[in-house]
Amino acid sequence: MLRSHPPPTAHGGTRPASPPRPGASPQPGAAAPGAGTRRRGAAEKLFLAGDSAVHRLPAQCKIVALLGFVLLVVATPREAMWAFGGYALLLAAVAAAARVPPGFVLRRMLVEVPFVAFALLLPLLAEGPRISAFGLSLSESGLWSAWNILAKATLGVVASVLLAATTDVRQLLLGLERLRLPPLLVQIASFMIRYLDVVADELRRMRIARESRGFTARGPRHWGVLARTAGALFIRCYERGERVHLAMLSRGYRGAMPVLHHAGAGAAAWTRAAALPAAALVLCLLAWTTR
């Protein structure tokens, strides 16, 4: 059996290798303990760091502005197609002011794909008078319904993406709390966001453990194994929740999370945030008056 020998000294002897000095820098090319970047969670990937005027607005102002904008978009008659073009220009102006790239928004609009698929089926399945286009018999009411869903859903998704891109998740939760949302709901949302990635990592480790033992789900006969995996994951999540709750109680938790700073919103911030819904209100009123 081969054994490694200590390095030779100047006199031809050997000396034991000395341990590294405390606080000494690692050798070039050596990885420092704990080195590496923290993986961003799913919610954090929606945020685009910046210092624009939109980023600096308080979260509660942006939430109210988004809600007002979406309600006005929904209230707009579907026949006023020009109004929806105006809404799109307003959102484009907000994206430009926030310096959010168009590609960033488009990649995060994939969540709308199920709604698009549903809308595309409406002209084929709806009843009523029909027209022929592209060799297909399409329902007129189905076409209007598809346009209504696509236009309003797309504008709502883009507005939500811009809110998430310009507001950190923690600030969003604080904004909801400042808008007097029940604190319990805010805490549930906070823990859901915090532990969603933890649960996903747990599921990934369980999947790797199954695959390392040669398991691959190929059909209904393997659904039992997947069901047992889901049950084991539920038990682990429940036990983790109990441990987290006990840890919180031991640190003085009494039903409310501590707030480190109370950053309110002044009149100037509310005025700037009201620019978007105010412009949308003008378009909505024009759409109804010119209908």
Side-chain angles (χ1 to χ4, degrees), residues 264-288:
W270 283 107
T271 302
R272 291 194 297 271
L276 177 65
L281 177 61
V282 173
L283 291 176
C284 184
L285 292 178
L286 288 175
W288 278 105

Side-chain angles (χ1 to χ4, degrees), residues 48 88 168 185 232 273:
L48 184 65
D168 185 63
L185 293 181

